[in-house]
Each structure stands twice: as C-alpha cells, then as structure tokens.
C-alpha cells in the first residue's frame, strides 16, 4: 500500500490537531454531561413531584431530538436570537446536554439498584434526603453504572464527529481529514487514518473504564 | 425567551405551505429510516448468526467486521461512502430504484447514505441480538437437540423466538437512534427535513413572504422528532410489559449499548 504512510507523515499536523480538538471536545463535554446528568438523575428520584416532572421532560426532550438539530438550534438559532455564542460553546453545550440525558437515565437505574433498605436505614438515622443521596446512594449508584457510562462515552466520541460535520464546523478529526482528502484526493488512505484515530479514542476509553470497573468493584 | 415565544416569529407556521413543506421533508426521513430498519434487521440477524457460528473462522471474522463498523462514527461512514461508492453502483441504484419512491430518494447519493446506515446499524443490532441469544439458558438448546431437532430447527423454533423477544426494548431504542440519525444524511445534500428547514429560513419565507427564523424552524423540527420517538418508546414499553406478564421472561442488559437503560428502569419502579 504505497502512499498510506506518506499521507500520514505529510499531513501529520492536520491529523494531530484534529485529533486533539476531538479529544478536548469529548473531555469537556463529558464533564458537563456528568454534572448535569447527576443533577437531573437526582431530580428524577427526588421525593418532590414537580422535580420528577422537570427531570422527566428534560430527559425525554434531549434523548429524542437529533443531535444535529440540537446543534443547529444552539448555534445558528441562538445567534439569530441575539445570543453571542461561539462554536466551542455551542458544540460542547449541545454534546454535553444531549449525553447528560442518557447519563441521567443510567444513574437513575443505578439508584434503583441500591437496596431500598439502605435508603430507609440512612433516613432513619436522621440523614436528610440530599445527604442520603450524596453519601449513601450516589457512590454505590456510580459504581454499578460504570459499564453503562463506558458505552455512553464511546457513543459520545462517535457523536462528537457530528459537531465537526454540522454548521458548527469545529476543526475536529473528521473535519481536518476531509480537508486533507480535498487536497490530496486519496480518499481511502485519509479515511483509514481518521478511522484509526477514532478507534484509538474508543479503545482507550474502553480499556480505561474496564480498569475503573475492576478498581471500584463492589464486592458483595 | 421572549424572542422564542414572540407570536410574530411563529407566523410562518400558519402562512402558505411552510408547515407542509417541513412535514414533507420529515416524511423523507421516516422513509429512509424505514428502509434502513428493514435491511439493518435482516443483516443484523445474519451477522448475529455468523457471530455465534461454531466455525471459529466465521465467528472471528464476523466479530472483527462488527466491531469495526460499530466503533466508527456514523457520520464518518456516511461521508466516506459518499466519496467512495463507485459511480457504477450509483448508476445501478438509480436504475433499480422504483418510480413510486419520493423524489428525494431517487437521488443517487442516497445509496451511500443507506449503505452507511445499514452497515452501522446492522453491526449494532447484531450485538443486541447476539447477547439475547447468548443469554438463553444452555439447557434450551440441549433439550431441543436431544429431541432430534437439527441446528436450523433449533434456531428457528427454540433459540431465536426466545432470544430475540428479550431484546425487543434494546432493539426499539436502537431503531429510535436510527430515526434520529437520518438527519445526518442532510450533510451529503439529500433533501430531507433539515435541508427543508434551512431552505425555509434562507429563502426569507418564500412561501407567503413571512420571515421564518432559524431558531423557531428547528425547534419545530425537534418537536417532530420528539413526538415520533417518544410515541415509539412508549409503545415498545407497553408491548414489553404485556409480553413480560404473559411469558414471564426477564430483560437482558447488553454491554456497549447506551440507549436501553431507560426501558429497564421504568419497570423497576421508583425507590419508594
């Protein structure tokens, strides 16, 4: 396969800058998704009716809307409405809030997996509901949903490519690769290296989460 | 907020054929989704059967195939195939596509988009179906074999009906994801709802002369998707609860799938 290595070595700056843009996009969005997802999950299991409803509406809205449509609303739509939003904020915000809805659902199932008896015990010891959630329920819930979180971050790495391909047009791995393809016309070679980049990211995430899973396993 | 709910910014909905224009675009999405679902389910089942084959050569190569397509971004596959599908294939597609198909699907670029959707989703569905089949107790297969059923008969009458039934919720949530992913074909210039929305906004309301602001147009498109997908997920949950009551089977969680957690939690009931 002549030309395969040349494409990589000649266009290494483009590929590596794209790779790191994708990496940064995923890393920041994941933090946002975890924070918002935890809050929404807490709302959905709270003993307050209207909080459950708000959490439920959030989840159903962000889970059922296509990410591409969300990106157009967040970028072009809000700009048109006079909100000065840039590509990074729109991309990270959309990807983060979109994934947060899935994380909220995963955490909610983790909360249900924690025995009812534990919650009763904590409450009867005089802990308040938020405190029970923070000290007793969530630490266990996070551990049980580590495999689900792993597949969510992999889905997020894959979804991050939509940010570069949409009107937000962040110069991520896919965007940079298309640029290189437009210059060299070596479609197969360029897309091969882009695929390698994405597989490296997803594989690393898989291995990292497998490690976390064994590290934080609850031994019963 | 005042901008979002200002009635003047929603006037485009009621003027001319704007709403109908959007709905026509959305219909194209649903058609692409239906074609994609049909072929993904068939190829997904085929791949799953190859994946559990007793011949290691077949199962390993099917496994590599599935793992590669499953771990690549769908938009990446779409963009690649838009460039890489040979012209002769495209010609062949435009020759065989039936005339009653809508105009947007007559476009020869649709071939790449459909191929990409099927490649990606059949790989994901293969994993779902495989774990459903593997979750079945060994005894079922052994009992069937001891009754003298051939391999094909064991699969057809014992393993698949039970294994696939367990995976209905996971399959439906993957199909909802597929439905959302049909918007991605707008990036290779297929005239579906996102493209229709963009032309509404950029034409400055050419139907009826009213401004169609991009925020409101795409909120409307989002609402279309939320309604259809929400209805789908509710329907599958209904069916599933009924099915579970009838057969007493349990759900199986698949590793590597993000969408199905919701279906499980709602059955577990709230913690109090």
């Amino acid at each position: 396969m002549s030309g395969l290595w040349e494409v990589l070595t000649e266009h290494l700056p483009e590929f590596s800058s794209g790779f790191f843009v994708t990496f940064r996009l995923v890393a920041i969005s994941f933090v946002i998704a975890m924070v918002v997802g935890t809050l929404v999950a807490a709302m959905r299991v709270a003993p307050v009716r209207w909080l459950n409803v708000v959490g439920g509406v959030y989840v159903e809205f962000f889970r059922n809307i296509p990410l591409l449509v969300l990106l157009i609303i967040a970028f072009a739509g809000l700009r048109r409405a006079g909100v000065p939003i840039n590509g990074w904020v729109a991309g990270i915000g959309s990807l983060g809030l979109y994934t947060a809805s899935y994380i909220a659902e995963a955490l909610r199932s983790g909360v249900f997996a924690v025995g009812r008896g534990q919650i009763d015990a904590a409450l009867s010891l005089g802990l308040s509901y938020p405190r029970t959630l923070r000290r007793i329920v969530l630490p266990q819930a996070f551990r049980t949903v580590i495999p689900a979180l792993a597949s969510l971050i992999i889905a997020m790495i894959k979804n991050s490519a939509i940010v570069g391909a949409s009107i937000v047009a962040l110069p991520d791995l896919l965007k940079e690769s298309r640029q290189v393809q437009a210059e060299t016309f070596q479609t197969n070679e360029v897309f091969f290296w882009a695929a390698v980049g994405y597989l490296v990211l997803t594989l690393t995430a898989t291995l990292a989460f497998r490690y976390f899973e064994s590290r934080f396993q609850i031994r019963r | 907020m005042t901008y979002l709910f200002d009635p003047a910014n929603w006037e485009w909905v009621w003027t001319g054929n704007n709403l109908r224009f959007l709905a026509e675009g959305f219909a194209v999405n649903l058609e692409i989704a239906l074609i994609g679902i049909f072929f993904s389910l068939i190829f997904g089942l085929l791949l799953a059967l190859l994946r559990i084959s007793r011949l290691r050569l077949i199962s390993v190569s099917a496994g590599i195939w599935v793992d590669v397509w499953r771990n690549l971004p769908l938009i990446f596959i779409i963009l690649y195939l838009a460039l890489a599908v040979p012209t002769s294939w495209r010609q062949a597609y435009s020759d065989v596509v039936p005339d009653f198909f809508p105009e947007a699907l007559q476009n020869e670029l649709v071939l790449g988009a459909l191929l990409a959707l099927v490649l990606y989703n059949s790989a994901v569905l293969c994993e779902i179906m495989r774990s459903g089949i593997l979750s079945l107790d060994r005894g079922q297969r052994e009992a069937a074999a001891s009754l003298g059923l051939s391999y094909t008969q064991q699969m057809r009458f014992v393993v698949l009906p039970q294994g696939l039934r367990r995976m209905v919720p996971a399959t439906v949530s993957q199909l909802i994801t597929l439905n959302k992913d049909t918007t991605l074909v707008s990036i290779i210039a297929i005239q579906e709802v996102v493209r229709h929305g963009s032309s509404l906004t950029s034409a400055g309301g050419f139907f009826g002369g009213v401004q169609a602001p991009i925020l409101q147009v795409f909120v409307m498109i989002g609402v279309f998707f939320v309604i259809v997908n929400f209805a789908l997920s509710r329907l599958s949950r209904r069916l599933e609860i009924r099915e579970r009551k009838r057969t007493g089977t349990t759900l199986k969680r698949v590793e590597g799938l993000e969408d199905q957690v919701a279906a499980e939690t709602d059955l577990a009931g709230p913690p109090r």
Side-chain angles (χ1 to χ4, degrees):
Chain A
M1 279 215 265
S2 70
L4 191 57
W5 282 108
E6 280 83 80
V7 169
L8 182 66
T9 47
E10 274 168 35
H11 296 277
L12 197 60
E14 287 98 322
F15 280 121
S16 63
S17 87
F19 184 84
F20 285 111
V21 166
T22 293
F23 183 79
R24 235 161 56 206
L25 182 65
V26 172
I28 303 174
S29 311
F30 188 65
V31 174
I32 292 176
M34 282 303 284
V35 173
V36 176
T38 310
L39 285 177
V40 174
M43 282 165 88
R44 292 207 76 185
V45 299
V48 184
R49 180 88 191 116
W50 68 270
L51 279 181
N52 297 356
V53 173
V54 172
V57 170
Y58 177 93
V59 168
E60 293 300 344
F61 179 76
F62 280 98
R63 227 160 42 113
N64 287 327
I65 194 170
L67 181 57
L68 186 68
V69 172
L70 195 61
L71 282 165
I72 296 172
I73 292 175
F75 190 61
L78 288 186
R79 280 201 158 180
R80 179 70 197 277
V83 182
I85 195 166
N86 71 26
W88 272 96
V89 177
I92 290 170
S94 307
L95 192 57
L97 294 181
Y98 178 83
T99 313
S101 64
Y102 287 99
I103 289 187
E105 283 300 276
L107 278 178
R108 196 166 77 113
S109 76
V111 167
F112 290 160
V114 176
R116 178 72 194 133
Q118 297 210 24
I119 300 171
D120 287 337
L123 290 175
S124 71
L125 282 172
L127 268 68
S128 66
Y129 194 82
R131 223 178 140 96
T132 308
L133 210 57
R134 193 161 52 101
R135 290 286 168 82
I136 312 289
V137 180
L138 282 180
Q140 297 185 67
F142 271 116
R143 289 174 182 198
T144 46
V145 300
I146 284 176
L149 289 181
S151 42
L152 281 172
I153 195 167
I154 287 165
M156 194 174 191
I157 292 167
K158 292 191 281 177
N159 283 334
S160 76
I162 300 175
V163 178
S166 72
I167 49 161
V168 178
L170 291 183
D172 71 349
L173 184 52
L174 185 57
K175 182 92 184 157
E176 291 284 352
S177 307
R178 287 169 77 197
Q179 196 73 42
V180 175
Q181 191 274 338
E183 285 167 22
T184 61
F185 295 107
Q186 288 178 293
T187 311
N188 293 326
E189 288 84 349
V190 169
F191 275 80
F192 174 80
W193 288 116
V196 169
Y198 279 107
L199 292 178
V200 163
L201 282 174
T202 49
L203 206 69
T204 316
T206 311
L207 292 178
F209 270 88
R210 203 166 286 166
Y211 170 75
F212 284 140
E213 203 184 335
S214 62
R215 174 86 175 67
F216 295 115
Q217 202 169 38
I218 307 173
R219 284 176 240 288
R220 288 199 171 103
Chain B
M1 273 297 159
T2 49
Y3 174 84
L4 178 57
F5 293 113
D6 186 354
N9 289 327
W10 286 99
E11 220 174 291
W12 61 272
V13 177
W14 320 114
T15 38
N17 281 329
N18 288 348
L19 196 58
R20 195 178 149 191
F21 184 61
L22 274 192
E24 276 167 6
F26 190 54
V28 173
N29 282 69
L30 294 182
E31 282 149 8
I32 293 177
L34 278 179
I35 300 173
I37 287 170
F38 179 73
F39 287 107
S40 304
L41 284 174
I42 292 176
F43 285 112
L45 183 58
L46 268 175
L47 281 171
L49 289 175
L50 291 179
R51 195 98 157 67
I52 58 168
S53 162
R54 280 170 296 190
L55 291 173
R56 276 195 66 75
L57 182 68
I58 294 180
S59 63
V60 168
S61 39
I64 293 172
W65 171 268
V66 166
D67 277 342
V68 167
W69 292 113
R70 209 163 67 94
N71 282 311
L72 286 176
L74 176 58
I75 182 69
F76 171 97
I77 306 175
I78 291 178
L79 285 170
Y80 174 65
L81 290 185
L83 294 165
V85 169
T87 327
S88 55
W89 293 20
R90 292 195 196 159
Q91 295 275 275
Y93 173 79
S94 45
D95 288 343
V96 298
V97 67
D99 283 335
F100 61 84
F101 270 35
E103 214 182 313
L105 296 186
Q106 304 278 358
N107 186 338
E108 57 178 36
L109 276 173
V110 172
L111 175 64
L114 284 176
L115 270 180
L117 277 173
V118 172
L119 273 176
Y120 177 81
N121 285 295
S122 61
V124 176
L125 287 172
C126 160
E127 280 304 284
I128 295 177
M129 292 173 175
R130 186 180 74 106
S131 58
I133 292 168
L134 290 185
S135 74
L136 217 62
D137 192 73
R138 266 182 76 93
Q140 296 279 343
R141 256 305 257 298
E142 284 162 2
S146 70
L147 285 172
L149 270 65
S150 70
Y151 182 84
T152 329
Q153 285 172 326
Q154 291 168 30
M155 281 293 159
R156 164 80 182 74
F157 297 111
V158 179
V159 176
L160 290 184
Q162 297 184 72
L164 297 188
R165 189 164 286 158
R166 293 186 181 187
M167 303 322 293
V168 167
T171 307
V172 172
S173 32
Q174 184 54 34
L175 298 184
I176 289 174
T177 308
L178 194 159
N179 189 22
K180 288 193 287 180
D181 286 342
T182 54
T183 52
L184 296 180
V185 305
S186 67
I187 289 170
I188 57 169
I190 289 165
Q191 294 298 318
E192 42 70 81
V193 71
V194 172
R195 287 271 159 174
H196 278 203
S198 310
S199 40
L200 261 191
T201 58
S202 60
F206 57 93
F207 300 111
V210 183
Q211 279 292 321
I214 191 163
L215 180 67
Q216 278 79 357
V217 171
F218 278 89
V219 166
M220 190 59 134
I221 294 174
V223 168
F224 283 177
F225 275 97
V226 170
I227 290 172
V228 169
N229 291 340
F230 183 69
L232 265 178
S233 66
R234 279 293 132 135
L235 183 72
S236 91
R237 207 160 295 173
R238 269 262 178 75
L239 283 177
E240 191 221 327
I241 292 171
R242 212 182 61 185
E243 191 65 26
R244 287 228 288 162
K245 272 186 191 149
R246 202 167 66 82
T247 57
T249 46
T250 48
L251 272 178
K252 176 73 176 65
R253 163 176 282 183
V254 198
E255 230 175 279
L257 272 176
E258 60 285 352
D259 291 358
Q260 51 148 354
V261 273
E264 274 176 277
T265 54
D266 275 70
L267 294 163
R272 29 178 194 287

